Amino acid sequence: MSYMKLPTLISIFLLISAITWARPPGKHALIIAIGTYPAQSGWKNLGAENDVILIRSALMSQGFDSANIRVITNEAATYEGIKTAIRESLINTVRSGDIAVFHFSGHGQQVLDDNGDELDGYDEAFVPYDSPLRYQAGVYEGERLLRDDELGKLFLSLRRKLGKKGQLLSLFDACHSGTGTRGNTITRGTNTKMAPPLSPPANDLPVQQMNQFGIGGLKGLGKPAPMIAFFASGAHELNYEYLDEKGRRYGSLSYAFSKVFSNLPPNSSFQGLYDKVQVEMAIIAPRQHMQVEGELETLVMKGATKQIPRYFNVRTQLTPTTLLIEAGTLSGIHPGTEIHFFPADQDTAGQTPSATGVVTNNNLPLISEVKLDNSLDSDQLYWAYVYKQNYGNMQIRLLVDVQHQALRQKLQRIIGEYELVQEVGESADLMIEQQRTNGLDSIFLFSKDDVNLFAMPLGEASPTYISLEIMDRMLNYAQAMFLRNLTMDSRFLQVEVDLLPAYEDKFGNTHLKNLPSSDSMPRGIPAFEESEFFVFKVRNMGRKAVYYSFLDIQPDHYVTTAFPTSSCKLSAQDCYLAPDSSHVWMGCSMEVAPPYGNEVLKLIVTEEPLNLQRVISSRGKAKPGDSHPFERLFQSSFKNTNRGRTTPSIPPSTATVKSIVFQIRKKS
């Protein structure tokens, strides 16, 4: 008999320990999506099941194994089913140091606080499949609602299992107020509280306390993993669903998060993730305000998010000249985009592509079908590069609910002249409604986020005049929505913008306000009250000299130039910026004014000067001549003369276009 020496045993033990210690963190996710509630429940159906595709694909793009992503939908997502899934798929599965994600898409509801921990007197709750809408004393009093308190206890158990080196991200694409005033407007929540009829209303909360959802104590617990929670809206705000070009409904948070998370660079903090998602949310849902809780200085997935390649992978070859690439509308790839294919790992500079193709369809937001000009070798691995990018069509979906026959006929005739307007019976971007108010029949045009874009009594003008005015406003809206979603990123044209709070003295001179130190400055979207001022600070962070300008998209969906303007007369050369230099325009301050909500400034950066004011003043009729490609793209967004829905494809290196969002609040 031989005996293993003690040093050998110690060596084996140390080796095993090292292997265990070096184990990469596991990644586990649970997605709850309830899009179809029982008919008798009183709840509207949602596009929550579409969220599953987005969230699942976004997680997989950042290294989550599909086997570790559990999805619970509809009938399975009962009160007990959700709690069981949290225990089985997360609490009982994760190990110390792992990463966990919990996502909920569905309705939210407020229920009377039962332990005095809510500032507004109501608990926030998430609505499982088996929880009806209305309170019935002695029959149903909300016992199957998933309260924030109860969810917090489950999450605390999960965080203790994850340990201090683990991480938990929770996403809640629901809201706890409002169903919208338009019959076609879909929001994720209700004004109907789970409470007896004579219960007190919820107390108003200061803005700084609006995000206190109380999910399980987020700090100061020592060993439990840090938790970060994203909420689609404040406790007393609506959460509007987002409609894509094909009329598919998504949760606004699910869409914005998936778009950002799929393209998140390494070593990003949750603060950086939140800032980016918040901007995307402001673009697609301008009337709601995303909320966040948790330790935002934590690195997302411990810093191990993937580097974004400048190419797309070929997923499947369907036929010799048709294939699928792993990119879709979430990556800014729309039908009409021209793609070049090169062998993987090949230097493409000066090389002829193996094939070229055009994107013909986006059946999924992360997949595109490409038609090739010639076949590719099926045994070769190829990468896809964007040659000319299309930024989406301008089609708007319209629901018409008008009883006045002459107006209805005139609307149909005028709308029929525009290819970009598609009349639908549901899931509309815009709604024309006839309503009786103050004893008069009036016509209204509402956006999908419930903004009143047009209103006029029927007897005040002819059906022709009303129809033309409505059509003009719809074209404004289509342009605003196209530009809101427009993003371009030339790596050589990099400019940063700050909005610096300012004030005017009694002589009309502009001065900067004294600001706190950068460490105490609020992050995310800046907020200004009406009648306040700010000035632009523009910095060139790239290696090339640039020209820049701004478009302004107001919360009520009007597009104007923000800078330079007729009241701030600057030449193109004034907006020329050399590398490593900056401008602060004290003489061109902007005064903040209603409408209230999130206003979007579009920064356009190019190597050549633009004349966007000329295009706006002519309403797109100015002849482009040898104008810049972006100028032609912008001109195509005016549909007064060109009534089609398509827009031109242009090289993605043409410009950098980024969004700067600020919030306009009522004066306190």
Side-chain angles (χ1 to χ4, degrees), residues 31-36 48-49 52 71-78 129:
I31 302 172
I32 309 293
I34 311 172
T36 305
E49 290 163 274
V52 174
V71 177
I72 305 293
T73 62
N74 299 333
E75 294 90 343
T78 62
Y129 178 83

Side-chain angles (χ1 to χ4, degrees), residues 31-255:
I31 302 172
I32 309 293
I34 311 172
T36 305
Y37 286 82
Q40 68 276 15
S41 70
W43 291 108
K44 286 184 178 180
N45 291 338
L46 304 171
E49 290 163 274
N50 294 330
D51 298 350
V52 174
I53 300 170
L54 295 180
I55 297 296
R56 193 171 184 277
S57 299
L59 292 174
M60 291 176 64
S61 73
Q62 291 290 3
F64 281 70
D65 190 321
S66 61
N68 293 334
I69 303 174
R70 186 177 178 188
V71 177
I72 305 293
T73 62
N74 299 333
E75 294 90 343
T78 62
Y79 173 70
E80 291 296 338
I82 293 173
K83 293 196 299 179
T84 299
I86 293 173
R87 293 189 189 100
E88 292 180 351
S89 301
L90 295 178
I91 296 174
N92 297 341
T93 303
V94 302
R95 294 188 288 180
S96 179
D98 281 354
I99 296 166
V101 174
F102 175 85
H103 178 90
F104 178 87
S105 285
H107 280 294
Q109 189 173 28
Q110 288 191 305
V111 56
L112 269 178
D113 180 19
D114 59 357
N115 61 5
D117 69 336
E118 294 288 345
L119 295 173
D120 63 353
Y122 284 84
D123 276 324
E124 276 64 55
F126 303 98
V127 183
Y129 178 83
D130 56 343
S131 181
L133 171 63
R134 300 192 180 280
Y135 179 96
Q136 297 182 61
V139 178
Y140 183 68
E141 300 180 1
E143 52 268 21
R144 290 191 298 277
L145 282 171
L146 193 58
R147 292 178 185 245
D148 54 0
D149 297 336
E150 186 173 19
L151 198 55
K153 291 176 183 177
L154 288 167
F155 285 167
L156 184 54
S157 297
L158 172 59
R159 293 165 61 199
R160 284 176 173 153
K161 188 78 180 292
L162 291 168
K164 64 180 180 180
K165 293 187 177 180
Q167 190 176 101
L168 172 60
L169 170 63
S170 299
L171 307 164
F172 298 95
D173 208 338
C175 72
H176 302 88
S177 66
T179 53
T181 58
R182 313 272 67 76
N184 189 68
T185 300
I186 304 297
T187 57
R188 298 186 169 193
T190 178
N191 284 323
T192 303
K193 293 178 172 55
M194 185 56 65
L198 298 179
S199 298
N203 299 321
D204 289 334
L205 296 179
V207 172
Q208 65 269 25
Q209 295 175 350
M210 285 289 286
N211 66 338
Q212 299 304 306
F213 283 73
I215 302 292
L218 300 174
K219 288 188 177 182
L221 291 172
K223 292 184 179 179
M227 170 177 158
I228 296 86
F230 285 2
F231 303 91
S233 60
H236 304 298
E237 284 187 330
L238 297 172
N239 174 18
Y240 294 92
E241 291 202 317
Y242 171 69
L243 281 178
D244 73 0
E245 293 177 354
K246 296 181 181 293
R248 292 174 297 215
R249 302 202 313 264
Y250 300 95
S252 53
L253 176 60
S254 299
Y255 192 91

Side-chain angles (χ1 to χ4, degrees), residues 559-577:
V559 178
T560 62
T561 50
F563 187 85
T565 64
S566 56
S567 61
C568 179
K569 297 185 183 298
L570 297 173
S571 68
Q573 289 303 317
D574 291 323
C575 297
Y576 171 87
L577 201 55

Side-chain angles (χ1 to χ4, degrees), residues 5-17:
K5 293 181 179 178
L6 183 60
T8 305
L9 285 171
I10 294 174
S11 299
I12 293 174
F13 173 77
L14 291 174
L15 178 61
I16 294 173
S17 298

Side-chain angles (χ1 to χ4, degrees), residues 230 260 269-281 290 296 523-525:
F230 285 2
V260 173
S269 68
F270 278 102
Q271 179 69 66
L273 173 62
Y274 169 64
D275 291 346
K276 290 182 173 68
V277 176
Q278 195 181 28
V279 169
E280 290 295 332
M281 287 282 289
M290 178 187 171
L296 297 183
R523 297 291 302 270
I525 295 175

